[in-house]
Amino acid sequence: MRNQISILALDLGKNLGWARCTCIFRPELRIDVVHHGTEHLDVLATERMNREYNEVYDFNRFRMIVYEEVIRKLTSLVKFDSFVAEDVFCKYNQVSAFKSLVLYKEILEKVVNVEYQKRLYTIPPTLIKKHIAGYGHDDKTLVQQAVLNNPHISVKNPDKATSHEFDAIAGCWAAIHEYLMIPV
């Protein structure tokens, strides 16, 4: 196994959090978050709709078009070794959000699998929280604190990061532990 890999970690949603991570495995695991951001898809879709309005596309179609463009831009930042995203989940009172998450994941998986010939590692939200904070049902502020307090994770400009970016970083941490580290 290589000692260092680059990972693009994503927190899917209409506020798409992402983190470009360099992961070093030896002598001990370290994650350096070299760049991160949040793409506000509703804002981008509204701007696009105002510029290119037509009677065929509704707002959701514009958001999906913008989302795919953003994913293509992010995946092409550097030559990533791995791609990680929080797995889709459904809350009984947010079924429409579930539908969007499924579509986001499908587009991301298509780009990663077909165009980059890589696997998309997906992690359930409760497992992410368990790995980063020790408990599977922590809220976003506890996840953020767990990332900031983790001595093995360094984040460039953490004061400018959103909760979505911290969720992406936590997803990277969990994916490494679930899929990429070989227990010694």
Side-chain angles (χ1 to χ4, degrees):
M1 177 178 202
R2 293 174 35 200
N3 189 44
Q4 179 176 315
I5 63 171
S6 62
I7 294 178
L8 177 61
L10 299 153
D11 178 40
L12 303 180
K14 66 180 181 177
N15 294 310
L16 175 68
W18 59 273
R20 186 177 132 204
C21 304
T22 300
C23 306
I24 300 163
F25 294 99
R26 290 179 296 279
E28 64 182 1
L29 176 62
R30 187 175 88 232
I31 297 175
D32 295 326
V33 182
V34 295
H35 198 46
H36 52 83
T38 299
E39 306 296 330
H40 303 283
L41 298 176
D42 281 352
V43 172
L44 296 172
T46 299
E47 290 170 357
R48 180 78 168 265
M49 194 171 189
N50 289 338
R51 279 193 324 269
E52 301 173 19
Y53 179 78
N54 69 55
E55 296 198 15
V56 175
Y57 298 162
D58 66 2
F59 181 77
N60 290 325
R61 176 57 49 209
F62 272 102
R63 185 172 44 203
M64 287 300 155
I65 291 168
V66 167
Y67 169 77
E68 185 166 353
E69 290 171 354
V70 167
I71 289 300
R72 289 180 186 289
K73 181 184 88 176
L74 290 173
T75 56
S76 69
L77 286 173
V78 297
K79 187 176 179 187
F80 290 104
D81 298 303
S82 293
F83 298 89
V84 171
E86 181 178 82
D87 206 353
V88 298
F89 58 93
C90 185
K91 292 183 178 178
Y92 69 92
N93 59 345
Q94 296 178 334
V95 175
S96 63
F98 173 72
K99 175 188 170 200
S100 294
L101 285 173
V102 169
L103 294 172
Y104 293 147
K105 182 183 172 199
E106 176 60 29
I107 290 169
L108 175 61
E109 204 163 35
K110 177 184 78 169
V111 169
V112 168
N113 293 166
V114 175
E115 296 175 24
Y116 289 95
Q117 294 293 299
K118 301 276 186 183
R119 176 180 173 188
L120 174 63
Y121 293 97
T122 57
I123 313 288
T126 53
L127 196 53
I128 291 172
K129 292 172 182 176
K130 182 179 176 193
H131 275 289
I132 195 68
Y135 178 66
H137 297 285
D138 285 335
D139 66 16
K140 286 188 175 283
T141 57
L142 293 175
V143 168
Q144 178 178 341
Q145 278 309 306
V147 168
L148 291 171
N149 293 335
N150 188 321
H152 303 285
I153 300 175
S154 68
V155 181
K156 185 178 180 181
N157 301 318
D159 53 318
K160 295 180 181 173
T162 67
S163 63
H164 306 289
E165 293 161 51
F166 283 107
D167 285 353
I169 296 164
C172 178
W173 178 261
I176 287 170
H177 286 85
E178 282 296 309
Y179 298 115
L180 303 174
M181 282 186 59
I182 300 169
V184 270

